[in-house]
Amino acid sequence: MDHVIATSMVAQQEMAQRLGMNASDLTCFGFILEAGENLLTAGDLAARAHVTTGAVTGIVNRLERAGYVTRQPDPSDRRRVRIAAVQAAVDRVTALYGPYYARLTEQFNDYSPAEIAVLNDWFTRTGKLMSNYLEEVRGT
């Protein structure tokens, strides 16, 4: 597992570099993509990435300058903005990650539905455990 985590971290750096950004910006862009149509505010993004609102402003500024996101007015509160992914940027990220995800899909085809259920359970529970432990380490 340590090898998978370390390789994932190295891959994140490499993918970010190929997309012309740093790993923190790519992580935040990933959170924006994960949110889908439920567009995040800067505060939402800061909370998910565990960075200050000042830091997230810099991240969003860089992503916007690079053509990855746009700021859109919040329909329920015109003083707030929401962050939306730009489709061309989504296409660039998908083109880079697509072959990897296709290979993962092929690999998952080697498992039975029952085995997939166990893997899903393990990843879901481990993700929660990791988040909870991170909060504990941070003292929050």
Side-chain angles (χ1 to χ4, degrees):
M1 184 164 148
D2 288 339
H3 178 73
V4 170
I5 292 168
T7 303
S8 177
M9 292 172 71
V10 170
Q12 182 83 341
Q13 293 283 344
E14 178 70 24
M15 298 299 201
Q17 186 177 42
R18 289 179 183 276
L19 292 166
M21 61 175 86
N22 65 48
S24 294
D25 293 1
L26 180 57
T27 297
C28 286
F29 189 65
F31 286 132
I32 293 164
L33 294 178
E34 179 183 51
E37 293 184 21
N38 299 318
L39 302 181
L40 302 176
T41 65
D44 296 333
L45 186 55
R48 288 183 187 198
H50 293 277
V51 298
T52 66
T53 53
V56 91
T57 298
I59 291 167
V60 173
N61 287 345
R62 286 191 300 274
L63 289 172
E64 188 174 42
R65 276 193 308 271
Y68 283 91
V69 301
T70 59
R71 289 175 166 99
Q72 298 182 358
D74 186 318
S76 63
D77 182 350
R78 302 302 270 176
R79 296 168 292 171
R80 263 193 319 200
V81 296
R82 301 236 171 222
I83 305 157
V86 172
Q87 187 58 51
V90 174
D91 295 344
R92 283 195 305 271
V93 171
T94 301
L96 183 60
Y97 279 92
Y100 172 67
Y101 284 115
R103 291 174 189 175
L104 279 177
T105 298
E106 285 178 34
Q107 184 170 303
F108 279 121
N109 288 336
D110 293 339
Y111 294 94
S112 71
E115 290 169 323
I116 295 289
V118 170
L119 289 168
N120 183 58
D121 176 67
W122 189 88
F123 279 107
T124 301
R125 290 174 55 199
T126 301
K128 288 178 186 173
L129 183 147
M130 188 180 291
S131 293
N132 291 341
Y133 185 69
L134 185 56
E135 293 299 321
E136 185 181 315
V137 168
R138 289 185 174 130
T140 55

